[in-house]
């Protein structure tokens, strides 16, 4: 009775010690969120927050706004241009004033021809040129009449660039949705793996206490006690690593959503669609023969689910945003070539210039009568005769830009086809992994419970218990990863028409079709 009482007190003491150890391990992450209540966050709410705070979407919208401004500039080339001028000028020295002054001095000195000299100095034309002050108010207007197609080509090129930029906004929004979805389920996975690591550490601690209890009554050796303690201690790095990964995953999610760095989050969506059903047990085997075709045959549930998902998403290459942008880049390059070739044609424009000029004796005119009209109308023609090969060089470069844009379009189409196939295969793999994980964790949990009972009753060894615990931990982790991969693969396939090409795809279309990389 006394030995049994001491054993119970020892067990209670070790339980209290273990609780204190677990509390110390969990104190660091719990202290961060102890100051405020966690914020409930669903995936739909996360996507809504990211849509209004994403830097990628803001950059894409700025590019579209810039393209709109360039399109307005291109349209202005065909519209009349009107400008006003206002000019006041004072001449410190004037050659015409000096000539008039000399003429006046010469006439007063000789006494002959004074009438002629005086009339020259007082001539209105002479006063205009000899005036010390000049005040000019004018309007200038011009209208292009023929540009050889250059202005029209520039307008079409600007319109195609704006349409490509608008596609870029859709692509950026889709990429943000995929990034947020991936980060959300990464955080859920990290949280689940941290929970699994906590559970594994608790199980190892419970095994150690069981060995300590049996050791105290002489039923276990020192070797078994040391091995149980080493097994428990080996779980600690995995526990700390899982908690670190969980914290980093939540930091990444908060950054994507522009949430405060210290705000705790409670993710309300589940990483899995629902509880995993336990598959029925295998039928009683009467033979050990294995049909390889039957064993390796794909699961029909996987094929049916993948076919349904693929049918609901447009996986064709020409529906991809990257391919549409590449097509717009081809159009931009073609219009740039047309505008470059137009440099060989004459440019015709009409101009008019209306002025009111005043030459006051003082600083400013005193009345409207001091202003004299000056109005001109004209036609201008510009035709390059010899440019030293400059125009020819520009045409050759523009032709190379068209070739570059067309080849990038082909690469984009090939990359889109490869990307669609990769997304389908990733979904198939994720569906197969998820179907394979159904029930495995429950069976591993049941196996561990049986192994723990066997170990407690002295039927099995500690090695068997440790192996069963590792299998349980691996089954739980595999199930969580399969659920995360399945959700991300489904989201990627749904957003596939709007997503940029993956880095593994061939070179996508360049945003500057006239240049090469």
């Amino acid at each position: 009775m006394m030995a049994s009482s001491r054993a119970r007190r020892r067990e209670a003491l070790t339980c209290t010690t273990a609780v204190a150890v677990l509390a110390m391990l969990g104190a660091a992450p719990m202290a961060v969120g102890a100051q405020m209540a966690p914020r409930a966050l669903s995936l739909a709410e996360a996507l809504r927050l990211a849509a209004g705070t994403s830097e990628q979407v803001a950059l894409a919208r700025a590019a579209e706004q810039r393209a709109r401004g360039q399109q307005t500039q291109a349209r202005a080339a065909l519209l009349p241009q009107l400008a006003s001028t206002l000019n006041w000028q004072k001449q410190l020295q004037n050659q015409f004033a000096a000539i008039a002054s000399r003429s006046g001095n010469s006439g007063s000195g000789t006494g002959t021809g004074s009438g002629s000299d005086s009339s020259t100095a007082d001539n209105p034309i002479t006063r205009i040129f000899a005036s010390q002050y000049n005040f000019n108010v004018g309007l200038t207007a011009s209208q292009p009449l023929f540009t050889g197609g250059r202005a029209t080509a520039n307008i079409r090129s600007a319109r195609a660039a704006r349409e490509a930029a608008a596609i870029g906004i859709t692509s950026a929004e889709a990429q943000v949705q995929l990034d947020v979805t991936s980060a959300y389920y990464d955080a859920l996975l990290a949280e689940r793996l941290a929970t699994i690591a906590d559970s594994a550490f608790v199980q190892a601690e419970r095994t150690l206490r069981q060995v300590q209890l049996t050791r105290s009554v002489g039923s276990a050796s020192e070797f078994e006690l040391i091995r149980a303690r080493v097994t428990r201690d080996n779980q600690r790095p995995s526990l700390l690593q899982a908690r670190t990964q969980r914290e980093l995953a939540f930091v990444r999610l908060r950054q994507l959503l522009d949430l405060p760095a210290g705000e705790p989050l409670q993710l309300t969506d589940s990483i899995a669609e629902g509880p995993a059903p336990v598959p029925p047990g295998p039928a009683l085997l009467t033979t050990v023969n294995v049909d390889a075709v039957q064993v390796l045959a794909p699961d029909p549930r996987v094929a049916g689910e993948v076919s349904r998902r693929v049918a609901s998403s447009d996986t064709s290459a020409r529906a991809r945003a990257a391919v549409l942008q590449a097509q717009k880049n081809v159009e931009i390059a073609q219009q740039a070539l047309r505008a470059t070739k137009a440099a060989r044609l004459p440019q015709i424009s009409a101009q008019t210039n209306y002025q009111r000029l005043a030459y006051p004796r003082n600083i400013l005119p005193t009345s409207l009568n001091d202003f004299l009209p000056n109005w001109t109308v004209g036609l201008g023609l510009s035709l390059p005769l010899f440019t030293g090969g400059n125009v020819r060089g520009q045409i050759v470069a523009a032709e190379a830009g068209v070739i570059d844009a067309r080849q990038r379009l082909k690469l984009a189409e090939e990359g889109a086809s490869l990307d669609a196939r990769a997304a389908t295969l990733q979904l198939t793999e994720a569906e197969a992994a998820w179907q394979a994980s159904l029930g495995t964790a429950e069976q591993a949990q049941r196996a561990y419970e049986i192994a723990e009972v066997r170990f407690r009753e002295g039927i099995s060894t500690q090695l068997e218990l440790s192996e069963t615990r590792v299998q349980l931990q691996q089954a739980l982790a595999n199930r969580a990863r399969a659920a995360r991969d399945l959700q991300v693969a489904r989201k990627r396939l749904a957003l596939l028409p709007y997503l940029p090409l993956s880095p593994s795809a061939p070179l996508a279309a360049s945003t500057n079709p006239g240049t090469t990389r």
Side-chain angles (χ1 to χ4, degrees):
M1 292 293 293
M2 294 179 62
S4 177
S5 177
R6 286 196 299 269
R8 286 196 297 270
R9 287 197 299 270
R10 189 181 298 109
E11 184 177 359
L13 179 60
T14 53
C15 289
T16 305
T17 304
V19 171
V21 171
L22 293 177
M24 292 175 61
L25 289 174
M30 290 174 62
V32 177
Q35 297 179 358
M36 62 180 69
R39 173 177 180 173
L41 182 67
S42 64
L43 178 59
E45 177 69 11
L47 294 175
R48 187 188 65 81
L49 291 175
T53 61
S54 172
E55 293 83 0
Q56 297 179 11
V57 176
L59 290 174
R61 289 173 178 169
E64 196 272 340
Q65 181 179 351
R66 185 183 306 109
R68 284 204 319 267
Q70 293 172 351
Q71 183 181 12
T72 303
Q73 291 178 340
R75 289 173 177 172
L78 290 179
L79 300 178
Q81 308 294 315
L82 181 64
S84 62
T85 59
L86 177 63
N87 183 27
W88 177 86
Q89 179 179 341
K90 177 182 179 180
Q91 291 185 329
L92 301 180
Q93 290 183 341
N94 190 330
Q95 57 181 333
F96 300 104
I99 293 174
S101 177
R102 290 180 182 179
S103 299
N105 293 335
S106 173
S108 61
T110 59
T112 60
S114 58
S116 176
D117 294 335
S118 176
S119 62
T120 301
D122 294 337
N123 191 303
I125 302 300
T126 304
R127 287 202 305 270
I128 290 176
F129 285 100
S131 175
Q132 186 180 8
Y133 299 100
N134 186 346
F135 196 87
N136 184 351
V137 178
L139 289 176
T140 302
S142 63
Q143 172 64 53
L145 300 180
F146 179 75
T147 62
R150 177 185 298 180
T152 304
N154 290 336
I155 292 175
R156 293 174 180 174
S157 177
R159 182 178 63 249
R162 183 186 60 79
E163 293 173 353
I167 297 174
I169 295 178
T170 305
S171 180
E173 291 174 345
Q175 184 63 52
V176 167
Q177 289 188 23
L178 181 61
D179 292 343
V180 171
T181 301
S182 179
Y184 189 91
Y185 285 115
D186 284 344
L188 279 174
L189 173 61
E191 191 171 31
R192 178 60 178 156
L193 294 179
T195 303
I196 294 172
D198 292 345
S199 177
F201 187 84
V202 171
Q203 292 171 356
E205 181 68 26
R206 186 167 59 243
T207 301
L208 174 60
R209 294 175 188 176
Q210 181 67 29
V211 175
Q212 288 175 343
L213 180 60
T214 56
R215 168 67 176 167
S216 64
V217 297
S219 300
S221 64
E222 182 182 2
F223 172 72
E224 292 178 344
L225 178 62
I226 294 175
R227 188 167 59 180
R229 183 176 291 110
V230 171
T231 302
R232 191 275 313 271
D233 293 341
N234 286 340
Q235 291 289 334
R236 195 184 305 274
S238 300
L239 173 67
L240 299 176
Q241 183 180 10
R243 290 182 174 179
T244 300
Q245 295 298 326
R246 177 179 61 184
E247 182 63 26
L248 291 177
F250 275 87
V251 168
R252 174 58 179 163
L253 180 60
R254 282 192 288 262
Q255 286 180 346
L256 288 176
L257 304 181
D258 281 348
L259 296 177
E263 182 178 6
L265 298 177
Q266 180 182 0
L267 306 184
T268 58
D269 285 9
S270 174
I271 196 173
E273 293 184 331
V278 179
L284 183 63
L285 297 178
T286 59
T287 178
V288 294
N289 295 330
V290 176
D291 186 358
V293 176
Q294 182 181 3
V295 173
L296 299 178
D299 192 340
R301 296 174 299 176
V302 174
E305 182 65 20
V306 171
S307 299
R308 186 176 67 85
R309 297 281 179 175
V310 172
S312 62
S313 177
D314 191 353
T315 58
S316 61
R318 293 196 173 274
R320 292 293 299 272
V323 176
L324 296 177
Q325 286 182 315
Q327 293 174 351
K328 294 300 179 181
N329 288 338
V330 172
E331 183 179 352
I332 292 173
Q334 291 173 343
Q335 297 301 329
L337 175 60
R338 179 182 176 184
T340 304
K341 289 182 177 180
R344 289 177 168 178
L345 302 177
Q347 311 292 319
I348 302 176
S349 61
Q351 305 93 19
T352 180
N353 186 10
Y354 179 79
Q355 294 177 308
R356 301 289 291 187
L357 307 176
Y359 304 94
R361 296 182 181 272
N362 297 320
I363 298 177
L364 295 175
T366 58
S367 65
L368 294 178
N369 294 329
D370 294 338
F371 287 91
L372 305 176
N374 185 31
W375 192 358
T376 61
V377 177
L379 291 176
L381 185 145
S382 174
L383 178 64
L385 299 178
F386 179 74
T387 61
N390 182 34
V391 175
R392 177 57 186 167
Q394 292 178 356
I395 293 175
V396 171
E399 290 174 346
V402 174
I403 297 174
D404 179 272
R406 288 174 176 172
Q407 297 304 315
R408 291 183 184 276
L409 173 59
K410 293 182 179 180
L411 287 175
E413 292 175 346
E414 294 174 358
S417 300
L418 176 61
D419 213 15
R421 184 57 180 166
T424 304
L425 293 177
Q426 289 174 1
L427 179 60
T428 303
E429 178 184 352
E431 288 282 357
W434 169 248
Q435 293 292 343
S437 69
L438 296 180
T440 304
E442 286 76 6
Q443 295 176 1
Q445 177 67 37
R446 177 58 180 163
Y448 179 76
E449 293 174 356
I450 295 174
E452 195 172 29
V453 173
R454 286 167 53 85
F455 176 74
R456 188 165 55 248
E457 297 297 331
I459 302 176
S460 65
T461 63
Q462 185 181 162
L463 179 60
E464 176 183 319
L465 181 63
S466 298
E467 290 178 351
T468 310
R469 183 189 304 115
V470 171
Q471 291 176 353
L472 173 59
Q473 185 176 2
Q474 183 176 1
L476 293 174
N478 289 342
R479 177 176 167 182
R481 290 191 180 94
R484 178 266 176 198
D485 294 342
L486 177 61
Q487 298 292 351
V488 174
R490 289 177 176 177
K491 189 67 173 180
R492 175 175 177 79
L493 186 64
L495 296 174
L496 188 65
Y498 317 105
L499 289 175
L501 296 182
S502 62
S504 59
L507 184 62
S510 172
T511 55
N512 296 322
T515 61
T516 57
R517 290 194 273 181

